[in-house]
Amino acid sequence: MLTGAQTWEFRSKPTIIGAATVVGPEEGDGPLSSSFDFIYDNLEIDEKTWEKAERKLLQHASSLALMHAGITKEQLQFFIGGDLMNQIISATFAARDIAAPYLGVFGACSTSMESLAIAAMIVDAGGAKYAMAGTASHNCTVEKQFRYPTEYGSQKPATAQYTITGSGCAVVSSSGTGPRITHATIGRIQDMGIKDPFNMGAAMAPAAADTIVTHFRDTGRGPEDYDLIVTGDLASVGHAIVKDVLSKDGLSMDKTEFNDCGLMIFDRDRQNFVMAGGSGCGCSAVVTYGHIMKKMRQRELNRVLVVATGALLSPLSYQQGESIPCIAHAVALEREAGSA
Amino acid sequence: MLTGAQTWEFRSKPTIIGAATVVGPEEGDGPLSSSFDFIYDNLEIDEKTWEKAERKLLQHASSLALMHAGITKEQLQFFIGGDLMNQIISATFAARDIAAPYLGVFGACSTSMESLAIAAMIVDAGGAKYAMAGTASHNCTVEKQFRYPTEYGSQKPATAQYTITGSGCAVVSSSGTGPRITHATIGRIQDMGIKDPFNMGAAMAPAAADTIVTHFRDTGRGPEDYDLIVTGDLASVGHAIVKDVLSKDGLSMDKTEFNDCGLMIFDRDRQNFVMAGGSGCGCSAVVTYGHIMKKMRQRELNRVLVVATGALLSPLSYQQGESIPCIAHAVALEREAGSA
């Protein structure tokens, strides 16, 4: 199954037989609005604390994903989930309700593709018929935990990103219809010494570039083999850097659509509070399981490479003067021939 | 590969070809002293912060494990690691040095067997020739993050456990000599409504019982098939409960040695500051990769089931009045016939 140094090729082509996305009001007001399954009209998600709100997003998305997959909770064999909260409590409490065997994972915003890669690995290896990957983030839990509570009204530089409120889940199976997962490239930590948590796009860009180059080297593929290559959430600053880095590596992305989930989810002109763009565990999850899967169903996209990026800092590592280690995991999706 | 509802049977029997353990002075003063590869004589681990100390334990154990496995960092294909720190920074910073593709995981103290199960899954599926699982904990990082800084000198009830200072890593390969990994049973969240973070043994006991019962049901095995069944770190309170729960389920553990890593690592009479016993991500890792592997090499143990338990709370979930969701993952180890 290993092809090249760090890429798994899934011979049985595990299939995303059902997925779901739920988002908050700001994401619901953005350009991808029509691709989400449910849009909450209040940032509190009808809950009393931000943490309960984030958990509810994941509970909601996971139950919708199971419904879309046409399976019951009892049929689900493994749930692989994570989030940005300390001790990934959102995923854990959601896993308590989902009640399936649970593997908690953490890759910051790369958790979306880390969990999907592990789900595909398990299904491809015959370790499950049904495995679900899922993640969530909430703007206010993250602001409170990593920076300042939103109510403080602290100002931010233009390089800062805006954590999205939303959750995306995908049920992977060894049979059924839907996008096939053909490859996963597991990233290495990249750390260029950047210490500014308000410029995570720049910190994460080298990790995205490294994983993209590695994916092409391992698979023998190139940009022209994909209709869309999308980075997780580098936003405006990081996405420009990764283009530049790839170009210096002799890799032109002109032959494909090259975009970023953090840029796609908001209209930065109209929604200018998002600064450089979106981020958060939920960002690449809702863009992939919402927008991208919709475009694949509509036959507008056939092959997509999702390169989810993660900035693996903690408030404490930052306060102790450490730089920001970053990672990116890539998953290749393919529309099955002839499918709707 | 799936056998029963939640157990993977690894047909190729991935092998632990090298492992290593490093511990702090208190663990080095305990009854398992002679089984550890390195004992630091100072709790600071010669570092300036507790967090750097914890990271160093993992860096040290991982480099020793690679040496014992006889492979270089460059040959290692995946590192699966986690710890108790917010955003698992110890594993992440260690992964930066290890430089292999990295999957961050979190299962609190069950992280040891969660990471080993995933490493075995990857190797068994042909997704790597070499994958390393590793975890670490430090008494002072955990006290500071989850409870109070040690310097406050706050008192604790007798049910409290003492987080161990140490790290254990294991290199899993598709060939070579060492204990074979035959099965992994992935646990479901169990939550009996316990909210007291000073009684985690009682909170985790139902998760351990559920995973043990499930393992036997899935594999058709019973206690008599193992020379040793060891729970992660239930310590005195939790281990008594799990025995009781299993007995009420009609499962007598009299036909095997049934012990607990949290009880084995300290001499509770002499080292009475550990209260109910040891805990922490590193606890089941150093007992398994140190003591148990030594006994397997010495042919004193042939088949062992390690059931690592995790209390998946966060300080914030506790403060918001939530109960403690718990989980346990079991990995079955077998001495290869005729091996030393």
Side-chain angles (χ1 to χ4, degrees), chain B residues 56-300:
Chain B
K56 187 175 180 181
L57 292 167
L58 187 48
Q59 288 169 326
H60 192 169
S62 60
S63 72
L64 286 179
L66 290 172
M67 196 176 77
H68 293 169
I71 66 167
T72 63
K73 278 207 304 194
E74 291 69 30
Q75 287 176 283
L76 184 69
Q77 284 158 312
F78 297 97
F79 171 54
I80 302 105
D83 56 82
L84 290 164
M85 291 294 89
N86 297 342
Q87 288 74 54
I88 58 166
I89 48 170
S90 304
T92 296
F93 281 102
R96 187 178 63 181
D97 288 350
I98 294 165
Y102 166 57
L103 293 168
V105 294
F106 179 79
C109 309
S110 73
T111 302
S112 59
M113 292 303 116
E114 178 182 351
S115 56
L116 187 63
I118 294 175
M121 154 65 77
I122 292 171
V123 168
D124 190 59
K129 184 165 185 202
Y130 302 111
M132 180 163 66
T135 184
S137 57
H138 191 295
N139 181 270
C140 298
T141 58
V142 162
E143 288 301 312
K144 176 180 157 186
Q145 179 180 283
F146 285 94
R147 289 173 280 265
Y148 302 102
T150 310
E151 294 79 359
Y152 283 15
S154 70
Q155 290 195 317
K156 289 180 180 182
T159 53
Q161 293 177 231
Y162 191 84
T163 304
I164 78 114
T165 298
S167 171
C169 291
V171 178
V172 180
S173 177
S174 51
S175 63
T177 57
R180 305 294 177 93
I181 302 169
T182 60
H183 300 81
T185 301
I186 305 302
R188 294 172 194 266
I189 303 261
Q190 304 292 324
D191 188 337
M192 297 302 180
I194 290 178
K195 294 186 177 184
D196 179 3
F198 290 111
N199 194 358
M200 293 202 293
M204 294 190 290
D210 185 73
T211 296
I212 291 169
V213 168
T214 301
H215 178 79
F216 290 149
R217 195 187 53 219
D218 282 0
T219 59
R221 292 184 170 185
E224 65 281 6
D225 290 307
Y226 291 99
D227 305 316
L228 170 66
I229 296 174
V230 67
T231 48
D233 35 14
L234 297 175
S236 61
V237 179
H239 197 65
I241 295 174
V242 76
K243 262 190 171 163
D244 197 44
V245 170
L246 290 174
S247 154
K248 281 179 182 154
D249 279 358
L251 198 66
S252 159
M253 298 299 269
D254 295 343
K255 286 179 190 159
T256 183
E257 189 188 339
F258 187 42
N259 212 329
D260 180 78
C261 297
L263 292 172
M264 293 159 79
I265 195 166
F266 293 118
D267 178 342
R268 287 173 60 234
D269 290 331
R270 187 168 54 81
Q271 300 176 295
N272 58 8
F273 57 88
V274 306
M275 317 293 278
S279 68
C281 268
C283 184
S284 49
V286 300
V287 172
T288 304
Y289 302 143
H291 173 72
I292 291 174
M293 281 193 55
K294 183 181 169 194
K295 291 278 181 193
M296 292 183 93
R297 273 195 306 273
Q298 292 171 343
R299 303 183 181 216
E300 290 175 40

Side-chain angles (χ1 to χ4, degrees), chain A:
Chain A
M1 164 195 286
L2 188 73
T3 177
Q6 55 198 85
T7 299
W8 296 323
E9 183 181 354
F10 303 117
R11 303 274 159 80
S12 71
K13 293 187 180 154
T15 304
I16 300 180
I17 59 165
T21 52
V22 302
V23 297
E26 289 150 346
E27 297 71 22
D29 186 39
L32 307 187
S33 178
S34 68
S35 68
F36 303 126
D37 293 303
F38 193 90
I39 298 166
Y40 281 90
D41 65 5
N42 64 97
L43 203 52
E44 290 79 9
I45 319 294
D46 307 318
E47 288 288 343
K48 283 187 181 174
T49 73
W50 299 126
E51 291 75 20
K52 288 185 206 295
E54 181 173 310
R55 176 203 312 185
K56 188 175 180 181
L57 292 167
L58 187 49
Q59 288 170 325
H60 193 170
S62 60
S63 70
L64 285 179
L66 290 172
M67 196 175 76
H68 294 168
I71 66 166
T72 63
K73 277 206 308 194
E74 291 69 31
Q75 286 176 284
L76 184 69
Q77 285 158 311
F78 297 97
F79 171 55
I80 302 104
D83 56 82
L84 290 164
M85 292 293 90
N86 297 343
Q87 288 76 52
I88 59 167
I89 48 170
S90 304
T92 296
F93 281 102
R96 186 177 64 181
D97 287 350
I98 294 165
Y102 166 56
L103 293 168
V105 294
F106 179 79
C109 308
S110 73
T111 302
S112 59
M113 291 303 116
E114 177 182 351
S115 55
L116 188 63
I118 293 175
M121 154 65 76
I122 292 171
V123 167
D124 190 59
K129 183 163 187 203
Y130 301 112
M132 180 162 67
T135 183
S137 57
H138 191 295
N139 181 270
C140 299
T141 58
V142 162
E143 287 301 312
K144 177 180 154 184
Q145 178 179 283
F146 285 94
R147 290 172 279 265
Y148 302 102
T150 310
E151 294 79 358
Y152 281 16
S154 70
Q155 290 195 319
K156 291 181 179 180
T159 53
Q161 293 178 230
Y162 191 85
T163 304
I164 77 115
T165 298
S167 172
C169 291
V171 178
V172 180
S173 178
S174 51
S175 63
T177 56
R180 305 294 177 95
I181 302 169
T182 61
H183 300 81
T185 301
I186 305 301
R188 292 172 196 267
I189 303 262
Q190 304 291 323
D191 187 339
M192 297 302 180
I194 290 178
K195 295 185 176 185
D196 179 4
F198 291 109
N199 194 359
M200 292 201 292
M204 294 189 290
D210 185 72
T211 296
I212 291 169
V213 169
T214 301
H215 178 80
F216 290 150
R217 195 187 53 217
D218 281 359
T219 59
R221 291 184 171 186
E224 65 280 5
D225 290 306
Y226 291 99
D227 304 316
L228 170 67
I229 295 173
V230 66
T231 47
D233 34 14
L234 297 175
S236 61
V237 179
H239 196 65
I241 295 174
V242 76
K243 263 189 170 162
D244 197 44
V245 170
L246 289 173
S247 155
K248 281 179 183 154
D249 279 358
L251 198 66
S252 159
M253 298 299 269
D254 295 343
K255 287 180 190 157
T256 183
E257 189 188 338
F258 186 42
N259 212 329
D260 180 78
C261 296
L263 292 172
M264 293 159 80
I265 194 165
F266 292 119
D267 177 342
R268 288 173 58 235
D269 291 330
R270 188 168 53 81
Q271 301 175 294
N272 57 10
F273 57 88
V274 306
M275 317 293 278
S279 67
C281 267
C283 185
S284 49
V286 302
V287 173
T288 304
Y289 302 143
H291 174 72
I292 292 173
M293 281 194 53
K294 185 181 169 192
K295 291 278 181 193
M296 293 184 92
R297 273 195 305 274
Q298 293 171 341
R299 303 183 180 219
E300 291 176 40
L301 293 171
N302 286 311
R303 269 194 188 172
V304 179
L305 186 68
V306 183
V307 188
T309 48
L312 306 173
L313 80 165
S314 83
L316 194 137
S317 71
Y318 161 68
Q319 286 157 10
Q320 291 188 357
E322 306 281 2
S323 55
I324 305 175
C326 294
I327 202 160
H329 303 301
V331 172
L333 301 174
E334 195 168 301
R335 193 174 67 81
E336 26 170 4
S339 73

